[in-house]
Amino acid sequence: MSFWDESRWRSYCDCVEDLLTSPEVRSMREIRHHPGVSCYEHSVFVSYTAFRLAERMGLDSRTAARGGLLHDLYLYDPHTLHSYQQCFAHPVAAARNAAALCGGLTPKEENIILAHMWPIARRRPHSGEAYAVCLADKVCAIAEVLQIWRRMRIYRALLR
């Protein structure tokens, strides 16, 4: 089974469609995240990767997908803070914005968002889904910084 699968992409979209169409999530397209990558692109890449990891690990893939999509919903220009401040501040802002968008978060969803910067930040993941998002965030960030992800099918799916 490969990472990219059109039927899995459709299943993934079914889990997050309400979030993908929200003005808050769509506004992430205007926020630059990693070099040449918007916050929206990064979040969808992390979300889909966490979804696939959770599926393979027998975890709640819907929760992993939604937490992955919301993990960077900080909605401010990250360049207004020093990078070390951004590392610690953005999960808190993302959790606050995600709770407002979703009408509240479960403890698992909140932990996914707040702990995604572990081990740099002190908050630890408390569930398999949180570890999946944390791992997906690191892998996707490396692929983005190295410009590998633009050659992947998920990038082309985002352009649709």
Side-chain angles (χ1 to χ4, degrees):
M1 180 187 317
S2 68
F3 172 74
W4 178 259
D5 180 287
E6 190 67 36
S7 68
R8 302 315 313 137
W9 175 254
R10 286 191 298 275
S11 294
Y12 161 75
C13 288
D14 289 343
C15 293
V16 296
E17 185 173 10
D18 61 319
L19 299 175
L20 289 173
T21 58
S22 74
E24 294 85 354
V25 171
R26 294 180 71 76
S27 73
M28 291 168 41
R29 293 174 185 222
E30 306 306 317
I31 300 170
R32 200 172 118 239
H33 197 64
H34 296 131
V37 179
S38 72
C39 191
Y40 176 85
E41 291 167 328
H42 169 73
S43 294
V44 172
F45 189 21
V46 168
S47 178
Y48 178 73
T49 302
F51 172 80
R52 293 304 307 265
L53 283 170
E55 280 185 327
R56 289 184 183 190
M57 294 166 41
L59 302 170
D60 182 352
S61 57
R62 182 178 191 277
T63 296
R66 294 175 73 80
L69 187 59
L70 298 170
H71 83 283
D72 278 340
L73 188 71
Y74 48 83
L75 303 180
Y76 59 79
D77 179 1
H79 300 97
T80 60
L81 300 174
H82 293 288
S83 60
Y84 69 89
Q85 291 173 317
Q86 170 65 1
C87 172
F88 301 107
H90 85 272
V92 175
R96 182 181 59 246
N97 293 334
L101 173 63
C102 298
L105 298 172
T106 67
K108 184 183 282 190
E109 292 166 335
E110 182 178 45
N111 179 251
I112 288 171
I113 297 167
L114 291 173
H116 82 270
M117 290 302 293
W118 183 81
I120 296 168
R122 293 180 190 207
R123 293 187 195 239
R124 293 185 60 108
H126 295 304
S127 65
E129 293 83 1
Y131 277 104
V133 171
C134 191
L135 176 60
D137 187 44
K138 308 309 178 264
V139 169
C140 294
I142 290 167
E144 292 161 2
V145 169
L146 296 177
Q147 298 293 308
I148 295 167
W149 91 289
R150 292 199 182 274
R151 290 180 246 142
M152 298 173 75
R153 289 188 194 167
I154 189 169
Y155 177 72
R156 291 191 292 276
L158 284 172
L159 296 177
R160 294 186 208 157

